[in-house]
């Protein structure tokens, strides 16, 4: 593919047995995104029920591709695999459940294009909102996000939200150490803060999924979030120091 046809944004969607539920999510996404894009739906195994649906959809939509993750099971590894495969300078991670607003993908990618390492869609800034979802999860997420913004100055009030754009060059520079849940969002925001790389945010309205069941496992993944929450506090680091500190944890 020639250079001018390369995508300006790679949309990474980790999926687990979504089946036909992913179709309206893809419909809204392709209607909303105006930038040249590739959409990479990443699953853990070839027998995932999402695969045949994606293959059928991709027959009419060449920007869509299904990828089978070989980094290990779980959303963190699926996101790592998708970013590794991304061909654009900006990778936007969004969920397969339709909770995120795809109209904001272009705006998030444009912020990366302008030079930020991480661009977050924030539920907890003016104009943002969370509609539905478990009360305890929302309270914990909101508290973590606001406290990281106020006290660690991470640059966003919603570090825990997975709906973010990343500079692919930044991610490949610092690496991803998460291996389990959706803590990559807070990990990369924390790393950007310790490296003093720019982070920006725009407001978003998050809507709880209307169909299917959530795969979020709060009890299992909470310690992983706490690891990166603590990591966000501290003095500036060089890339070499950051990598060493991350491996120690």
């Amino acid at each position: 593919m020639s250079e001018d046809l390369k995508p300006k944004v790679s949309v990474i969607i980790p999926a687990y047995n979504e089946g036909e539920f992913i179709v309206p999510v893809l419909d809204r996404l392709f209607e909303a995104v105006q930038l040249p894009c590739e959409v990479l739906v990443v699953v853990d195994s070839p027998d995932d029920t999402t695969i045949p649906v994606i293959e059928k959809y991709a027959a009419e939509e060449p920007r869509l591709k299904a990828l089978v993750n070989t980094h290990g099971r779980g959303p963190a590894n699926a996101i790592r695999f998708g970013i590794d495969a991304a061909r654009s300078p900006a990778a936007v991670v969004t969920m397969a459940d339709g909770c995120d607003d795809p109209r904001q993908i272009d705006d998030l990618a444009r912020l990366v294009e302008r030079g930020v390492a991480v661009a977050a869609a924030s539920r907890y800034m003016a104009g943002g909102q969370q509609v539905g979802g478990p009360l305890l999860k929302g309270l914990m997420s909101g508290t973590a996000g606001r406290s990281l913004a106020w006290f660690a100055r991470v640059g966003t009030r919603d570090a825990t939200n997975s709906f973010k754009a990343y500079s692919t060059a930044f991610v490949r520079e610092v690496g991803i150490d998460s291996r389990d849940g959706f803590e990559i969002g807070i990990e990369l925001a924390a790393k950007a803060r310790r490296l003093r790389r720019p982070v920006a945010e725009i407001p978003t309205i998050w809507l709880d999924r209307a169909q299917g069941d959530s795969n979020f496992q709060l009890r299992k993944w909470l310690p992983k979030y706490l690891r990166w929450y603590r990591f966000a506090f501290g003095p500036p680091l060089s890339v070499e120091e950051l990598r060493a500190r991350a491996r120690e944890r």
Side-chain angles (χ1 to χ4, degrees):
M1 180 175 286
S2 64
E3 188 70 26
D4 60 339
L5 293 180
K6 284 187 177 179
K8 288 193 172 183
V9 58
S10 299
V11 182
I12 314 298
I13 306 176
Y16 178 74
N17 287 334
E18 292 289 339
E20 292 288 340
F21 289 140
I22 202 170
V23 171
V25 177
L26 294 173
D27 288 342
R28 290 193 295 271
L29 189 153
F30 284 113
E31 179 183 356
V33 176
Q34 300 299 308
L35 288 173
C37 71
E38 61 177 356
V39 177
L40 308 176
V41 178
V42 187
V43 299
D44 284 341
S45 64
D47 60 353
D48 191 290
T49 62
T50 318
I51 288 279
V53 178
I54 296 301
E55 290 177 342
K56 180 179 178 182
Y57 201 110
E60 302 294 330
E61 178 47 80
R63 294 173 292 178
L64 178 65
K65 182 184 295 185
L67 300 178
V68 178
N69 160 35
T70 60
H71 285 347
R73 300 186 69 85
N77 286 313
I79 294 168
R80 287 175 57 227
F81 190 86
I83 293 177
D84 283 349
R87 295 184 297 120
S88 73
V92 175
V93 175
T94 187
M95 297 298 102
D97 55 16
C99 294
D100 303 320
D101 186 349
R103 294 174 300 174
Q104 297 177 305
I105 290 173
D106 284 353
D107 291 338
L108 291 168
R110 289 293 192 191
L111 285 170
V112 171
E113 187 179 69
R114 291 171 59 193
V116 306
V118 180
S122 175
R123 297 162 289 182
Y124 308 126
M125 66 180 295
Q129 187 179 359
Q130 176 164 312
V131 180
L135 178 60
L136 178 60
K137 176 185 169 186
L139 288 172
M140 294 174 66
S141 172
T143 300
R146 293 183 180 96
S147 61
L148 283 171
W150 295 336
F151 302 119
R153 304 186 68 81
V154 296
T156 173
R157 281 154 283 194
D158 201 353
T160 63
N161 196 0
S162 296
F163 188 25
K164 289 185 175 71
Y166 304 102
S167 160
T168 51
F170 166 74
V171 175
R172 289 161 187 169
E173 180 183 24
V174 302
I176 294 173
D177 295 284
S178 298
R179 294 293 184 269
D180 294 295
F182 292 99
E183 70 270 19
I184 282 177
I186 191 170
E187 173 189 344
L188 291 174
K191 287 181 172 180
R193 187 264 168 190
R194 296 296 296 271
L195 290 174
R196 296 299 188 262
R197 301 291 177 83
V199 176
E201 64 179 353
I202 59 174
T204 194
I205 296 177
W206 181 94
L207 300 175
D208 193 23
R209 68 181 297 156
Q211 297 177 305
D213 297 318
S214 172
N215 295 310
F216 190 87
Q217 301 173 47
L218 178 61
R219 181 175 298 179
K220 177 181 177 182
W221 294 336
L222 181 59
K224 314 295 184 180
Y225 280 86
L226 290 174
R227 168 193 178 186
W228 295 111
Y229 181 93
R230 293 191 296 267
F231 187 80
F233 294 86
L237 298 173
S238 67
V239 174
E240 293 75 18
E241 290 170 332
L242 182 142
R243 286 177 169 175
R245 293 282 186 89
R247 284 195 297 267
E248 291 170 0
R249 301 177 75 82

